[in-house]
Amino acid sequence: MTRSVRRDQVFRLFDTEMLELVEALSAESAARGFRLCLVGGPVRDLVLGRPVGDVDLLLEAPGQSREIAAELARSCLPEAVKVVGYGRFGTARLELGAMKLDVALARTERYRSAGALPTVEAATLEEDLFRRDFSANALAMDLSSDAGGTRMPLIDPTGGLKDIAERRLRILHDQSFHDDPTRALRAARIGARLGFGLDRGSRARLRRALSEDVLAPVSGDRIRREFEKVFSDPTQGLDPVLALRHMDRWGLLKAVDPGLTLPSDAVLPLRRFGKAVSDPPWSSKRLRSWVVGLSIWLADVPAGVRQRSLRRLAVRGEATEQVTGFPRFRSQKLSALGKARGRGAVDGLLAGISEENLHALHAAADPAVRKKVSRWAAEDRSEKIPVTGSDLLKLGLEGAALGQVLARLRAGFLDGELMNREEGLALAHELLRRRSSRASRAQKARTRPKADR
Ligand code: CTP
């Protein structure tokens, strides 16, 4: 296993302007006797040759105050860079236009009780690495050192490289899952993404932690955030089913709710949705992937378990309605879409549904319906027809009648029955004429004496 990474690979993580800032920060850190490091996920991914996700930096400045990262950045970076110091963890956020980079202070964390947030103190790099979740995530590279020529040495005080070579996640001390029980959920997610198992000792510690009910005091928001990542991480190659299977096998789903499982009917749709997240079949604005994931997954668990799980995960507002309503919505829409003939009919069934419901429906559908849904989402829904609501208002239509005529015209254009504005307006006139004669017939029927009827 490599013990160093090519310098140019590391620098390629930053675009040109950001690299200049990182170099200035590194030089200033070295001049003050500090170290500026790349740590955690990005180093692990560089070692594995995988695409690197978010990049944060770590400043080692033991004994310094919490403001040191922000102060150091302000002292050496151009004024155009906005430096915001924030948080209990002494993090400085650098902003240059749309670019952002977080520089955290190396720290130790002490947990007063299981699941509580820790108290924090500036510490050495090694101490910071030892407080982390898994050895594979406890690697660092010193950007402020010029030792090593074209390669940058890896700092590996916990044996992370060996664990990466043997493809396992290993916790760094016996209390790790007690200190931060969300690490159990992370293990399932990161293990599934990297194809790593949980080493035997860590498995035993996890079983013990779960037997002591360590997830019970953890807030719903913190647990839900881990599930949110399960359904957005497919962009980094995660199969959500693998992560949920680990959680099921390790007893984590039961710890969320005793009745919670991964139903076999949810497996294929979840996998399909995972693919849609990493390779979108159409472009979606503001898609909350986790709402889609929960909708698909929980549609096949008993309604009571679904309700309790949503409460436990502190899912609120519109998201709760979407997940709760999905089983019914799914059976109605799938059967109607199966029967729908023509693009106009599909448009009538799908117009106005939320992006989350659309994706969940697509994942749950058979191939023929899937094709209808994706063609509508990618093409037809953004199609503008050459007759508008105000055209119909001018003809004297209004309210529900206007909506119905507009929907009929839209279906006509999508099905190729109407070709241009003139044809659209002609049909609108015809529909209006039919409406008026229906209305006058009805009126006549009402005014005719009873005996004649
Ligand atoms: N970390 C930890 N315990 C946690 C969460 C995070 O020790 N409960 C540490 C890990 O060392 C991790 C780093 O903080 O590498 C950054 O956290 P995050 O960005 O969440 O993790 P990544 O490993 O970068 O995950 P991803 O690849 O999903 O971005």
Side-chain angles (χ1 to χ4, degrees), residues 145 246 255 274 277:
S145 151
H246 280 329
V277 171

Side-chain angles (χ1 to χ4, degrees), residues 266 268-277 279-284 287 292 295-296 326 329-331 333-334 337 346 350 353-378 381:
L268 268 179
L270 281 174
R271 207 157 253 156
R272 243 179 243 131
F273 176 59
K275 284 217 180 79
V277 171
D279 182 14
W282 61 81
S283 82
S284 297
L287 172 70
V292 184
S295 299
I296 300 171
F326 184 65
F329 177 85
R330 178 181 64 178
S331 58
K333 291 286 176 189
L334 288 185
L337 283 165
V346 172
L350 294 179
I353 81 170
S354 72
E355 199 60 25
E356 284 81 15
N357 273 339
L358 189 64
H359 270 279
L361 206 57
H362 180 255
D366 62 38
V369 170
R370 240 184 356 261
K371 203 166 150 200
K372 291 180 187 175
V373 173
S374 57
R375 190 170 60 182
W376 180 80
R381 70 165 148 177

